[in-house]
Amino acid sequence: MGNLWVWPGSHYVAASYLRQHGSDALFDIEHPTYPMASPEQVLGRAGDLFIGHYLLGHNMGGNTSEVVRRVVYFRLHAEDHRARWRDCVQDPLLEFEPARISLDRVR
């Protein structure tokens, strides 16, 4: 019924691509040509919250029902993000230090 689809780990792939080609290459990526994992459908119910990285590849599925579906996107960012966005798109956890620390503990 038109659920959200995501490409797991694609935010890391995108960041790697932008490190290699420069941050401004972001403006030329309409449909990514770099390899990504198979997409997965995000299943949820009305009112559910999905938090995903802004570089995460995502798309909507076709709504095959009579039910109207709506999605609201909010983009959160740290203070002074606009001044350092080029660094942020090359390092997906730059503004998310608690997440970086948590992931480092798991590794």
Side-chain angles (χ1 to χ4, degrees):
M1 290 180 32
N3 292 329
L4 176 69
W5 287 80
V6 299
W7 282 260
S10 58
H11 56 305
Y12 290 114
V13 177
S16 175
Y17 177 87
L18 294 169
R19 280 192 302 275
Q20 292 173 17
H21 295 90
S23 299
D24 287 338
L26 181 65
F27 299 120
D28 297 324
I29 302 174
E30 186 172 333
H31 297 287
T33 57
Y34 42 79
M36 294 188 287
S38 297
E40 294 183 16
Q41 188 174 186
V42 176
L43 301 176
R45 297 182 308 232
D48 282 355
L49 172 68
F50 171 79
I51 298 175
H53 195 279
Y54 57 87
L55 288 176
L56 182 70
H58 61 282
N59 204 346
M60 63 184 174
N63 187 352
T64 58
S65 77
E66 299 294 320
V67 178
V68 175
R69 308 274 314 235
R70 291 189 173 86
V71 175
V72 178
Y73 288 93
F74 293 95
R75 292 194 178 219
L76 306 176
H77 57 84
E79 190 174 331
D80 296 326
H81 171 82
R82 288 184 182 197
R84 64 173 188 269
W85 72 267
R86 284 177 171 84
D87 296 327
C88 295
V89 298
Q90 292 184 15
D91 179 356
L93 297 179
L94 183 65
E95 294 181 317
F96 304 99
E97 190 62 26
R100 182 188 306 275
I101 291 168
S102 180
L103 288 170
D104 286 345
R105 282 189 205 141
V106 174
R107 294 180 190 161

